[in-house]
Amino acid sequence: MKIKYIDLEMGLLATIIAFTSFINISTFHISNYRELKILMLFLGGVVILKRARIMLKNEYQLLNAGLLFFVFLCGASSFLNRGYQGTDYVSVMVFGFSILETFFTAEIFRETKKVDYGCKIIFFCCFISCVLNDMLMVVFPAKYSFLLHNDAYLVGNKFNVCYTHLYLLIFFLAVYQINKKSNRIVFAAFLLESIAIASSVNCTTGIISFVILAVFLVMKKAIYELMEKPLFFIVLTLGLDLLLIVNSAILNVPAISNFITNVLGKDITLTGRMGAYARFFLMMRGHYLIGYGLDHNYWICLRGLTSNSLLPIYNAQNGVFDSMVSCGVIGTAMIFALAYAMIKKGKEKSDYAFLSGIYIFGILSMVEVTLNLKFIILLAFVGLAWEDKQCVET
């Protein structure tokens, strides 16, 4: 069978965004992976520039202008706060180009009618990465274990292990018909294996994310219409993220405290999160508008407490707060505006798998840092991973 040039081109783009945006290979094992990522982004940029007229279409102009402004804002915030320890301009550039190229690629997939093809490539990239990661964990536990290093798993730390498996499940659902018995069996196997891996790396967040995905699938008919409402997503996410800050007394509710301590096996203060939330506003003084810049979260949060003789916090432990540390109120508002626009644009056309994915990240943001690159890139597929009837580009 003759392979079309456009298939090679779109396959290359899909592979590039898979290994620059969706999959993170640990530099602990491949020390020059960041350089490889930069090279991949450069190659992706060359392919994208060939089809630049797609990004200039009226339908995408406002979206792409907003993305460019957001990336500029993040870069400017990092530059203006360059005096803080932890500034890494290369990481900021990779962050920015990963977002732009993911959205541009989704737009190209849509216009060339290669959405399904591109999603299949990303799925197989996730599949290969998960298989290798899990096999290495089992066969070489002394080398591929958090006991050796925080990022000693092939795909990084325990959170990245779980997020990679989550993407595997999401893209499988997007590509294959779940109403077929054989596909349901395969998905169930992937799901159980993902839960087992999350348990083995001691990541409660990962286990919860897989359980939520399963619940979403079971309740699809009952909640799909509600999940398609962009305002509902924003209210839900903000409500959950601000819930513990607005009223910490909720932790004293017997059912909730029992769930946290006995089911999740966590400290009633959520491993110090309550103290972190209380001190957050002190840390943000003078930086509310554009934040402290990317990669400053650790140092800013750590700095937040030595002066008060309290235990240090290593990140904001909350999706909205973490976003505010990185890009301030303006950047955080833009992330939610992007979510609103993508859910609205994909209404009745978005694949339920992608929609479920962003809701999972939104729910987890209550106690974890999830409204970041992993969340933003998935928004591209929520709003753009479907095709118009007419073929615009070939």
Side-chain angles (χ1 to χ4, degrees):
M1 181 178 67
K2 185 178 180 180
I3 300 177
K4 296 181 180 179
Y5 175 76
I6 190 173
D7 289 336
L8 293 175
E9 201 173 44
M10 296 303 105
L12 174 62
L13 271 181
T15 303
I16 286 173
I17 66 166
F19 285 102
T20 56
S21 298
F22 291 98
I23 301 167
N24 177 69
I25 302 298
S26 173
T27 54
F28 180 76
H29 294 291
I30 303 180
S31 59
N32 63 341
Y33 187 72
R34 191 167 73 162
E35 286 72 23
L36 291 174
K37 185 180 290 188
I38 294 172
L39 177 60
M40 286 189 287
L41 287 170
F42 175 78
L43 291 175
V46 172
V47 177
I48 289 171
L49 284 176
K50 289 179 58 180
R51 298 179 179 273
R53 60 183 177 276
I54 290 178
M55 282 74 78
L56 296 177
K57 289 184 63 176
N58 292 336
E59 183 177 358
Y60 305 120
Q61 284 181 4
L62 182 60
L63 167 63
N64 293 337
L67 290 170
L68 287 168
F69 180 77
F70 174 73
V71 169
F72 171 79
L73 176 70
C74 293
S77 179
S78 297
F79 177 77
L80 294 174
N81 292 284
R82 60 190 179 280
Y84 291 104
Q85 190 171 3
T87 301
D88 185 344
Y89 296 120
V90 175
S91 293
V92 175
M93 291 178 62
V94 170
F95 171 84
F97 279 103
S98 295
I99 291 176
L100 293 175
E101 292 197 15
T102 299
F103 273 85
F104 293 162
T105 296
E107 292 169 7
I108 293 173
F109 283 166
R110 183 176 169 218
E111 294 296 326
T112 57
K113 290 191 174 294
K114 293 295 179 181
V115 170
D116 187 64
Y117 177 75
C119 288
K120 282 184 178 179
I121 297 294
I122 297 173
F123 163 73
F124 282 114
C125 289
C126 290
F127 175 75
I128 292 170
S129 299
C130 287
V131 169
L132 288 176
N133 179 83
D134 300 349
M135 288 181 59
L136 290 171
M137 285 173 52
V138 174
V139 179
F140 304 105
K143 185 177 180 181
Y144 294 88
S145 169
F146 73 94
L147 296 175
L148 177 64
H149 187 274
N150 184 49
D151 290 325
Y153 302 112
L154 178 65
V155 295
N157 58 31
K158 64 179 184 180
F159 296 105
N160 283 327
V161 169
C162 293
Y163 293 149
T164 306
H165 281 77
L166 181 60
Y167 286 138
L168 170 72
L169 295 171
I170 290 173
F171 277 96
F172 178 85
L173 291 172
V175 171
Y176 297 97
Q177 296 295 324
I178 197 65
N179 58 338
K180 292 183 179 180
K181 183 178 180 180
S182 58
N183 290 341
R184 288 201 299 271
I185 293 174
V186 173
F187 176 79
F190 282 154
L191 180 62
L192 292 175
E193 194 267 347
S194 297
I195 293 175
I197 289 296
S199 178
S200 68
V201 299
N202 193 31
C203 185
T204 305
T205 300
I207 296 175
I208 293 175
S209 69
F210 302 137
V211 172
I212 295 175
L213 179 60
V215 171
F216 280 167
L217 291 177
V218 173
M219 299 182 62
K220 179 179 178 179
K221 291 183 179 180
I223 63 177
Y224 197 1
E225 186 176 346
L226 183 62
M227 290 175 65
E228 285 184 316
K229 301 181 184 300
L231 187 59
F232 175 73
F233 171 81
I234 294 175
V235 171
L236 176 66
T237 303
L238 286 176
L240 290 174
D241 281 27
L242 298 177
L243 182 62
L244 297 179
I245 296 88
V246 174
N247 185 15
S248 62
I250 192 173
L251 293 178
N252 293 321
V253 176
I256 295 178
S257 61
N258 177 68
F259 178 76
I260 293 173
T261 56
N262 297 326
V263 179
L264 298 183
K266 299 293 185 180
D267 173 33
I268 191 61
T269 64
L270 296 179
T271 318
R273 284 176 173 83
M274 294 307 298
Y277 300 156
R279 304 191 298 269
F280 174 80
F281 296 100
L282 294 175
M283 294 187 294
M284 289 300 296
R285 283 186 301 187
H287 291 81
Y288 278 107
L289 287 181
I290 62 172
Y292 287 94
L294 298 172
D295 290 332
H296 287 154
N297 304 51
Y298 173 88
W299 300 105
I300 298 305
C301 292
L302 186 62
R303 186 195 70 163
L305 277 274
T306 51
S307 59
N308 294 330
S309 300
L310 295 173
L311 290 174
I313 49 177
Y314 301 103
N315 61 56
Q317 301 286 352
N318 178 288
V320 171
F321 282 3
D322 177 79
S323 178
M324 287 181 64
V325 171
S326 295
C327 52
V329 173
I330 297 176
T332 302
M334 292 191 69
I335 291 175
F336 278 98
L338 178 64
Y340 184 96
M342 290 295 95
I343 297 174
K344 183 177 180 180
K345 184 176 182 60
K347 186 177 182 181
E348 299 179 355
K349 295 182 180 179
S350 286
D351 194 286
Y352 186 67
F354 297 130
L355 199 60
S356 297
I358 65 167
Y359 269 90
I360 289 172
F361 282 120
I363 293 171
L364 293 180
S365 70
M366 180 181 185
V367 291
E368 293 294 353
V369 178
T370 56
L371 300 181
N372 49 21
L373 178 65
K374 299 295 184 185
F375 167 77
I376 296 173
I377 56 175
L378 198 56
L379 287 174
F381 286 79
V382 171
L384 300 168
W386 44 271
E387 299 164 2
D388 286 330
K389 292 182 179 180
Q390 71 276 13
C391 182
V392 179
E393 294 284 331
T394 57

